[in-house]
Amino acid sequence: MKKILITGVAGFIGSSLAEKLISSYEIVGLDDFSDYYSPSTKRQNVANLQKNKSFKIYEGDICDEKILDKIFRNHEIEKIVHLAARAGVRPSLENPGLYMKVNVLGTNNVLKYACASKIKQFIFASSSSVYGNSAKVPFSENDPLDRPISPYAVSKIVGEKLCWFYNNAHHLKKTTILRFFSVYGPKGRPDMAPYIFTRKILNNESINIYGDGSQARDFTYIDDIVDGIIKAIKKPFDFEIVNLGNSYPVLVSKLIQIIEETTGKRAKIKFQPARLGDVEKTYADISKAKKMLNWEPKTKIQEGINKFIDWLKNYNLYR
């Protein structure tokens, strides 16, 4: 079986991807189990995977070259899906140095070892945040990235540029950048709006809405994102950037309404001033993904929220 390295393997997207790939690949995972959210949650994400002989996980930081050296010495890695990153727009405003260290230096380290090992394919997880508050919608892969409004967005733009540099200057062939749009679903990050809103509504707690609720997000269900990554793995490009989004922006106020209808409970809303770093709208142009990957999302927002809430209740994770 081919060996694939997934960085950030214990996270939301990483563990979901690993579960789908484990029957086709030997998976080498790397995760630092950071405290951005509960490390125990991440350990639970990979608990079942660790029972599989085709799964090997290393605990360590992508900024630490020693752990990367160990991985590449012990395994003949053929492909890399680089998901590891410090996530979150608002926390990046409070600690931009940490985001530059992990998302830029760490990504550079992974790219350097990928080149030295002459891997066959490199996939980099980028973000819709790179588009900033672009007035042009939907967001296209060819749009200029000249107005980022958070350190997180800057770090992802630099990560993309590093991929381009290594692809051209150091012959890291077959490189694909995937820009994810507001991923949600079972095992989702607890700092994301669907998780926060659902938990608070179920617990009869107040929800803070920053702005007037007219902000819109292109919420994309986890299964669709994983399907897009797998399609990218199966179809290597010399160098491409591809949006993976639902291409259907949903107002924050509409998201709350959907959660209310699904749970049968009313939200208690407190409106607060808009916050620095929040974009007004995300909206993916997915024509390139359709054409080049034969990919398009299958999960509508109502269906995805229903599945997410079922998962949250089944595992009693909302209290």
Side-chain angles (χ1 to χ4, degrees):
M1 295 174 72
K2 296 179 180 179
K3 284 192 178 181
I4 188 166
L5 170 64
I6 302 176
T7 68
V9 73
F12 170 32
I13 299 174
S15 59
S16 300
L17 175 64
E19 287 171 357
K20 292 291 185 180
L21 288 178
I22 195 69
S23 61
S24 304
Y25 287 87
E26 285 187 34
I27 296 174
V28 179
L30 174 62
D31 206 290
D32 70 347
F33 295 93
S34 76
D35 61 359
Y36 179 72
Y37 61 92
S38 172
S40 63
T41 296
K42 298 172 189 175
R43 295 189 189 281
Q44 186 60 40
N45 286 346
V46 293
N48 285 333
L49 285 164
Q50 289 181 281
K51 299 173 185 176
N52 194 309
K53 292 180 180 180
S54 295
F55 183 80
K56 170 70 175 178
I57 189 168
Y58 290 81
E59 185 167 347
D61 189 337
I62 55 173
C63 294
D64 180 5
E65 292 193 37
K66 290 180 180 179
I67 191 69
L68 291 171
D69 186 68
K70 184 177 181 180
I71 289 171
F72 283 91
R73 278 192 292 105
N74 290 347
H75 305 277
E76 293 183 7
I77 305 296
E78 292 191 35
K79 296 172 181 268
I80 297 175
V81 180
H82 179 40
L83 299 168
R86 198 72 184 188
V89 168
R90 292 175 190 135
S92 76
L93 296 165
E94 300 169 4
N95 196 350
L98 176 61
Y99 281 72
M100 295 302 142
K101 178 183 177 184
V102 176
N103 298 358
V104 176
L105 174 61
T107 293
N108 184 73
N109 287 344
V110 177
L111 283 162
K112 183 170 67 174
Y113 276 89
C115 284
S117 299
K118 298 180 180 179
I119 66 155
K120 294 180 179 179
Q121 186 186 24
F122 189 90
I123 294 176
F124 175 66
S126 190
S127 165
S128 61
S129 296
V130 300
Y131 293 109
N133 258 327
S134 175
K136 173 187 166 294
V137 291
F139 300 159
S140 170
E141 292 88 348
N142 293 323
D143 292 347
L145 307 181
D146 55 357
R147 296 185 180 181
I149 61 171
S150 70
Y152 172 71
V154 172
S155 74
K156 282 299 182 180
I157 292 171
V158 176
E160 291 190 8
K161 299 301 183 186
L162 284 169
C163 290
W164 169 258
F165 169 72
Y166 278 93
N167 178 263
N168 282 265
H170 292 288
H171 310 294
L172 179 65
K173 299 306 180 186
K174 307 301 182 187
T175 302
T176 301
I177 294 168
L178 300 176
R179 291 175 179 163
F180 301 151
F181 282 69
S182 298
V183 189
Y184 74 101
K187 297 197 297 184
R189 279 178 23 216
D191 63 315
M192 297 291 285
Y195 203 122
I196 293 172
F197 293 168
T198 301
R199 186 182 65 78
K200 287 185 177 292
I201 288 172
L202 288 172
N203 288 315
N204 298 309
E205 298 174 5
S206 297
I207 296 172
N208 288 324
I209 300 298
Y210 296 93
D212 60 5
S214 65
Q215 306 96 317
R217 294 290 180 270
D218 199 351
F219 293 109
T220 313
Y221 192 66
I222 182 61
D223 288 0
D224 291 326
I225 290 291
V226 167
D227 180 51
I229 299 171
I230 292 173
K231 279 183 162 61
I233 291 170
K234 292 179 178 178
K235 193 173 182 180
F237 302 110
D238 289 337
F239 185 90
E240 292 293 344
I241 300 172
V242 183
N243 287 336
L244 294 183
N246 206 47
S247 200
Y248 185 80
V250 175
L251 297 178
V252 169
S253 57
K254 177 63 176 178
L255 174 65
I256 293 172
Q257 181 185 335
I258 292 170
I259 297 171
E260 287 179 323
E261 291 171 354
T262 306
T263 60
K265 304 190 74 172
R266 294 286 293 175
K268 300 175 182 178
I269 299 173
K270 292 183 178 179
F271 289 97
Q272 307 287 350
R275 297 197 292 192
L276 183 67
D278 283 349
V279 298
E280 288 300 314
K281 176 184 284 189
T282 61
Y283 184 0
D285 178 343
I286 57 172
S287 56
K288 189 173 182 179
K290 289 180 179 179
K291 180 180 178 181
M292 301 194 75
L293 293 176
N294 192 29
W295 175 89
E296 59 183 313
K298 298 180 177 66
T299 312
K300 303 296 184 185
I301 185 68
Q302 181 69 65
E303 178 189 355
I305 290 296
N306 284 345
K307 290 180 178 179
F308 169 68
I309 292 175
D310 284 345
W311 169 80
L312 207 63
K313 287 182 174 179
N314 286 341
Y315 288 91
N316 201 29
L317 294 173
Y318 60 90
R319 299 188 188 280

